[in-house]
Amino acid sequence: MVSSKRENRASGRVTLDDVALAAGVSRMTVSRALRGDIKVAQELVERAMQAAERLGYVPDPAARALASSKSSHVAILIPLLSNQLFVDLLEGAQRTLLPAGYQTLMGITHYDGAEEEQLLKGFLTHRPAGLLVTGAQRSESTRQLIAKSGIPCVHLMETLEQEGLYSVGFSQRDAARAMTQHLIDTGRRRIAFAAAQLDPRTLQRAQGYRDCLEMAGLYDATLEWHNPAPSSMKVGNTMFEQILSVRPRVDAIFFCNDDLAQGGLLAALRLGIKVPRQLAIAGFNDLPGSAEFLPSLTTVRTPRWEIGVRAAKILLQLMRGEPVAEPNVDLGFELLVRQSTAAA
Amino acid sequence: MVSSKRENRASGRVTLDDVALAAGVSRMTVSRALRGDIKVAQELVERAMQAAERLGYVPDPAARALASSKSSHVAILIPLLSNQLFVDLLEGAQRTLLPAGYQTLMGITHYDGAEEEQLLKGFLTHRPAGLLVTGAQRSESTRQLIAKSGIPCVHLMETLEQEGLYSVGFSQRDAARAMTQHLIDTGRRRIAFAAAQLDPRTLQRAQGYRDCLEMAGLYDATLEWHNPAPSSMKVGNTMFEQILSVRPRVDAIFFCNDDLAQGGLLAALRLGIKVPRQLAIAGFNDLPGSAEFLPSLTTVRTPRWEIGVRAAKILLQLMRGEPVAEPNVDLGFELLVRQSTAAA
DNA sequence: CTGAAAGCGCTTACAG
DNA sequence: CTGAAAGCGCTTACAG
C-alpha cells in the first residue's frame, strides 16, 4: 500500500505514487509501464497509462535525472547563430528531439575552442543524454571530455571516417570542387577564392578549390584570399574591392559563403563591374536572398536542416541503445547555377 | 560525522558530503556557504570554499532542482531564429544568464499562440527559475499558466504599462512614427507602408505610421500593404513590384523590416526605378547588410542585444527576490538616415 | 550560527 | 512479471 502524503514539502505535483494509488499497482510498475519497459503485463500497462492520463501525470525531469544519472537534455554546440546555416541545423535537431521528450541546451562557441570546452563542461554537469557538436576539429582535452563522459555524440556538417564516431554532413571539399569545376566549365580561367572566418569547413572548401584548379593547371596561389574576420556582407564587399584593385583581370570570384558573395555583388554594382559579363560570382550555402539578388547568385545548396534532423535521429538511436545502421551519413549537396555565373 | 559511501549507485561525482568531510563541517554548512547564505561564520565559509575548490566540487543541478522545486533553467520563448533580431535578443540574454549559473531553454513559437503554450507547458515541467517571453500578446490560458506558475517573467521587445508585469523594449509605435516623419520631412507625400508577418509589433509600427500621416493630413489607407507571409527579401521583392504596379506614383515605401526593404531595393534595381530619386525606401531594425546596400538603407536601429541583457538582469533580480527599481524599461531606438531616403 | 532528520520524485538493484 | 527497499545529491524545516 502506498501512502499518499501531503506534507509541508510536497510540491503539489501529481507524482508516480499518486498514479500508482489510482491504478492499484506499485510505483515501480507505473514507472516501468510509462517508460515502455517490456516486462510489464499488458493489463497493468493499460491501467497505469489510464490513471496517468486521468490525473495528468507528467514525470519530473529533475527526479528522473537524479535517480538515473541521466537528464532529458541534449546539448548542441554550434559556432554562431548569425549564420542562417546554424539556425537551420538547430531547428532541424530541435524539431526531432522535442517530440521524443528531449530538451535542447544550446551553446554558442563563437568558433573558439576554449569557449567550446567551457560550455561543454557546463553542460556535462547537467548530465545530458546526448551531444551534438559541429565538426570534428577540437582540442585533445575537449575530445577526451566527450569520450570519457560516455555520452553519445554525433558530429554535424562534415563526413568523418573514423571508427566509433558518428557524423552527418557532406563533403565540403567536393562541394567546392564542383563549384570550381562549374566556373571552369563556363569559361573562367582566373578564378579567385575569397574566404572569411577560416573555420575548418571553410578551409576544406579552399582545399577543394585548390584541388580542382591544380588538376586543370589553372591554380594561382595569389588568387586565394583569406580573411579571418567573421563572414558578412560587409566583409564580402570589402574583399571584392580589394581583389579587383590588386588583380583587375580576375574573371571569377568564388566566395566561401553567400553573405560574402552578396556583399561582392553589391560592390560590383557600386564599382560598375558587370556580373556575370566581366566577372562571375559564386557563393556557398544558398542563404536567404541569394535567389533574389541581382544578378541571382550561383551557389551550393547545403542540406543543413536535413543534417540536423538526421543527426538527431541517430542520436535518439544511440541514446536508446539501438544499433545505428549508418554511423557516417553523407547527405550531399546541390549546385545551384543561377545568373551570376552565366558564361561570359 | 558524515559517512563517505561509495556504493553501487554512486555516480563517481564529488558531492556535498565529500566536501563536508574534507572541510570538517556538516553538509548543510557547506551547502549554505557555497550558496552565499549569510548565516554562516566567515571561517567556515572559507574552509568550505577551499575544500570545494580543492575537490573540484560542482553542484548537481538535478539534485538541487528536486530538493528546491526550482531548476537552474531559464526558459526563453521567441518567435523565430531566422530574423537576426531574435538571435541578438537571445545572445544578450544568454550572455547575462550563463555566468550567473542559469542555462537557457529556448523555444521557438513560429508566431503561433498554440505552439507557444505547448512549449511553455513543456518548460514548466522543468520548473524553470525564470521566464523570458516575447511581447505581451498571448491567449488568456497562456497568461494564466505563467501567472499561476509563480515564476518570475520578463516581457521582451515592447514597453508595457501594466502593474505587476516586467518588460524591456522600446515603443514600436514611436519608432515607426519617427521614420514616417522623417519621410515627410524629406519631402515625401505618397508614403506606402509594407508589412509582412503581421505580428503584434508589426501592427504597432503600422499604427505609428498611420498616426503620423493622419496628423500630417497625408494618410491614405490604400497605401498600407499587409502580407501575412513571413518577412523575407523575397517577399519584399514581390511587394515592391506589386505596390509599384498598382500605385506607380508612390514616392516612398516604408518596409516594416530590413529584409523586406533589401528585397525592395533589389526590385527597384531590377525594374530600373531610381532610389532615392524617384522613390525613397526605408526599413526597420538595421539588419546585417543594410549599411552596405546600394543605396545604403535608411532604417531604425533597435537595441535588441541590450534588451536581452537588461531583461536578463531584471530576471536575475526577480529570481533572487531582490527589488527591481524600474520594472518597465524603455531602451529607445535610433533613426539611421542613409542614402535610400535622401531628399529627391 | 550549525546540524540531524526528513524529504524532493524518481530509478536501480535486488528478491521473490 | 512485480514490488519493497534503498539511494541519487541536494535543500527545507526544524531544533538547539
Side-chain angles (χ1 to χ4, degrees), chain A:
Chain A
M1 194 58 194
V2 176
S3 75
S4 80
K5 16 186 159 67
R6 274 282 162 274
E7 290 166 17
N8 20 11
R9 289 193 61 187
S11 63
R13 209 175 169 117
V14 176
T15 72
L16 219 40
D17 281 342
D18 297 324
V19 179
L21 188 67
V25 293
S26 80
R27 176 207 304 170
M28 269 318 299
T29 299
V30 180
S31 171
R32 289 197 266 248
L34 262 38
R35 276 177 296 150
D37 202 316
I38 260 170
K39 298 166 232 153
V40 179
Q42 189 53 37
E43 194 222 326
L44 296 191
V45 171
E46 276 162 25
R47 264 205 278 159
M49 290 185 114
Q50 279 168 19
E53 173 74 22
R54 184 150 39 85
L55 299 181
Y57 170 72
V58 184
D60 184 319
R64 192 170 255 183
L66 183 58
S68 70
S69 289
K70 191 181 295 174
S71 78
S72 57
H73 292 303
V74 166
I76 175 166
L77 289 163
I78 53 181
L80 287 178
L81 234 30
S82 50
N83 187 337
Q84 183 66 28
L85 173 69
F86 297 113
V87 169
D88 294 340
L89 212 52
L90 179 65
E91 273 243 12
Q94 198 155 249
R95 234 185 243 271
T96 309
L97 294 169
L98 209 55
Y102 291 96
Q103 283 288 349
T104 304
L105 295 178
M106 179 201 58
I108 303 177
T109 68
H110 302 97
Y111 288 108
D112 180 322
E115 228 175 302
E116 183 181 54
E117 184 160 341
Q118 209 51 46
L119 284 164
L120 184 63
K121 279 181 182 162
F123 288 148
L124 289 181
T125 74
H126 286 264
R127 310 195 242 195
L131 245 36
L132 250 23
V133 300
T134 307
Q137 195 174 74
R138 49 186 45 83
S139 74
E140 187 54 29
S141 62
T142 307
R143 223 189 302 273
Q144 287 297 324
L145 221 49
I146 295 174
K148 280 185 185 162
S149 74
I151 298 171
C153 177
V154 180
H155 300 74
L156 305 165
M157 294 306 293
E158 301 177 24
T159 50
L160 305 182
E161 306 279 308
Q162 204 176 328
E163 190 63 37
L165 294 190
Y166 298 87
S167 65
V168 182
F170 61 93
S171 169
Q172 305 275 345
R173 191 165 167 172
D174 287 353
R177 219 182 260 143
M179 178 59 85
T180 311
Q181 190 59 51
H182 160 69
L183 292 170
I184 296 175
D185 291 347
T186 46
R188 310 295 173 169
R189 289 300 172 266
R190 289 174 302 281
I191 304 170
F193 183 76
Q197 191 63 62
L198 311 184
D199 60 284
R201 286 155 302 285
T202 294
L203 298 180
Q204 289 161 26
R205 288 173 211 157
Q207 189 58 54
Y209 155 84
R210 226 170 285 140
D211 291 349
C212 185
L213 285 187
E214 275 171 354
M215 187 94 66
L218 294 171
Y219 182 64
D220 172 355
T222 67
L223 288 180
E224 225 180 301
W225 298 74
H226 285 200
N227 187 330
S231 188
S232 70
M233 284 178 69
K234 183 171 187 164
V235 167
N237 205 293
T238 311
M239 289 185 84
F240 181 95
E241 186 161 4
Q242 207 167 45
I243 294 172
L244 264 284
S245 75
V246 177
R247 307 299 303 266
R249 297 190 59 240
V250 149
D251 61 9
I253 305 180
F254 175 12
F255 288 92
C256 77
N257 200 39
D258 271 13
D259 56 359
L260 293 173
Q262 292 180 6
L265 284 173
L266 290 173
L269 214 54
R270 179 164 50 80
L271 300 172
I273 292 171
K274 299 293 179 205
V275 177
R277 193 119 68 96
Q278 182 175 347
L279 184 76
I281 289 190
F284 201 96
N285 276 329
D286 194 30
L287 298 184
S290 289
E292 286 73 39
F293 245 81
L294 226 72
S296 60
L297 181 66
T298 292
T299 186
V300 175
R301 194 193 85 84
T302 53
R304 58 259 185 179
W305 194 84
E306 293 84 351
I307 291 174
V309 170
R310 186 66 176 269
K313 284 185 178 168
I314 291 181
L315 193 59
L316 284 174
Q317 295 185 305
L318 290 170
M319 294 188 297
R320 292 171 182 146
E322 296 168 8
V324 176
E326 201 181 344
N328 293 290
V329 181
D330 184 344
L331 251 28
F333 56 87
E334 186 189 352
L335 192 65
L336 294 179
V337 176
R338 294 199 277 235
Q339 299 167 353
S340 68
T341 60

Side-chain angles (χ1 to χ4, degrees), chain A residues 65-70 124-125 127 148-149, chain B residues 5-16 18 58 60 63:
Chain A
L66 183 58
S68 70
S69 289
K70 191 181 295 174
L124 289 181
T125 74
R127 310 195 242 195
K148 280 185 185 162
S149 74
Chain B
K5 16 192 159 64
R6 273 284 162 275
E7 289 167 16
N8 16 14
R9 290 193 60 188
S11 63
R13 209 174 168 117
V14 177
T15 72
L16 219 40
D18 297 325
V58 184
D60 184 318

